[in-house]
Amino acid sequence: MEPTTLTTERLLLRPWAPGDADAVHRACQDPAIQRWTAVPVPYGPREARGWTAEIAPAGWARDTEYSFAVCRADSGTLVGAVGLHVLGVRGYEVGYWAAAEHRGHGYTVEAVRAVTRWAFTGLGAGRVEWRAEVGNAGSRAVAEKAGFRVEGVLRAGLPVRGTWRDCWVGGLLPGDVGLPSALPYLPAPDQDPAPGGDRSVGGEAHQDPGPRAV
């Protein structure tokens, strides 16, 4: 797919460029980003250059991940990142991080809403999924403010530096944000959990193609 640019009231979401490497390197020194996302640790200038000049553009070219630099529209300052991981017939998964000095302004929620709306209207997505390691309260808060419904816990659902971690999983459907679905959605009737069971979700493991949320 050809890279695209999205705009919101305050933000410009654009494809990554080699000139973003220094800003990405600075942002990814934040301990929270290194703790809760899949960025390499340590994260040096080489990793930042590889992301902005090679990995992110390749995601667009190969239709595996659509990654955006999240910038303030008035100044061009990088405030974060958001991307859609392509899951094939299962749809898309959103991931994001915010630079530490720009948290608390609602930028990430605004960016996630823009990208998920584009997924529904531009890509025909029937569902966008969100995952975060259990305990990542900041990521969960962003997802819920963006309209995601937290659906349960996946045991060993997230690979993190050589280990499997339990993760929250949530979903956003077109109808959740007042948009039509490309295909009809037929929800299952409400059912009680199986006797002796719980409400957690057991699911398959998958490779994580990029950073997740902070």
Side-chain angles (χ1 to χ4, degrees):
M1 174 180 290
E2 284 295 318
T4 191
T5 297
L6 307 174
T7 58
T8 70
E9 182 179 353
R10 300 183 296 168
L11 301 173
L12 172 69
L13 282 64
R14 58 166 177 78
W16 293 98
D20 297 318
D22 287 345
V24 171
H25 174 247
R26 288 193 299 272
C28 289
Q29 303 313 298
D30 173 43
I33 290 178
Q34 295 191 9
R35 167 63 181 88
W36 294 114
T37 79
V39 301
V41 178
Y43 196 90
R46 179 179 179 180
E47 285 74 22
R49 290 193 298 268
W51 170 255
T52 56
E54 299 174 14
I55 299 173
W60 285 94
R62 298 170 183 169
D63 289 311
T64 57
E65 182 177 359
Y66 307 133
S67 300
F68 296 88
V70 180
C71 304
R72 284 182 43 166
D74 57 355
S75 64
T77 301
L78 180 73
V79 299
V82 63
L84 282 177
H85 310 298
V86 181
L87 303 177
V89 295
R90 289 174 50 201
Y92 302 86
E93 181 183 341
V94 69
Y96 43 85
W97 54 256
E101 65 271 27
H102 296 292
R103 293 177 194 147
H105 301 286
Y107 293 141
T108 308
V109 174
E110 190 172 326
V112 170
R113 286 174 176 164
V115 168
T116 52
R117 185 176 186 87
W118 172 69
F120 297 137
T121 61
L123 302 177
R127 169 184 169 90
V128 176
E129 192 166 286
W130 158 84
R131 294 187 186 194
E133 185 178 341
V134 172
N136 189 348
S139 176
R140 179 167 178 162
V142 167
E144 291 180 327
K145 289 177 182 177
F148 282 80
R149 180 181 300 179
V150 178
E151 298 164 334
V153 173
L154 291 175
R155 296 183 302 150
L158 198 63
V160 179
R161 299 185 180 90
T163 65
W164 290 106
R165 307 289 180 89
D166 294 345
C167 70
W168 289 316
V169 61
L172 185 70
L173 308 184
D176 295 335
V177 291
L179 294 173
S181 178
L183 293 175
Y185 168 48
L186 300 177
D190 290 337
Q191 298 183 31
D192 292 329
D198 59 27
R199 296 182 181 271
S200 64
V201 180
E204 67 185 48
H206 74 287
Q207 292 297 315
D208 181 16
R212 293 184 193 272
V214 120

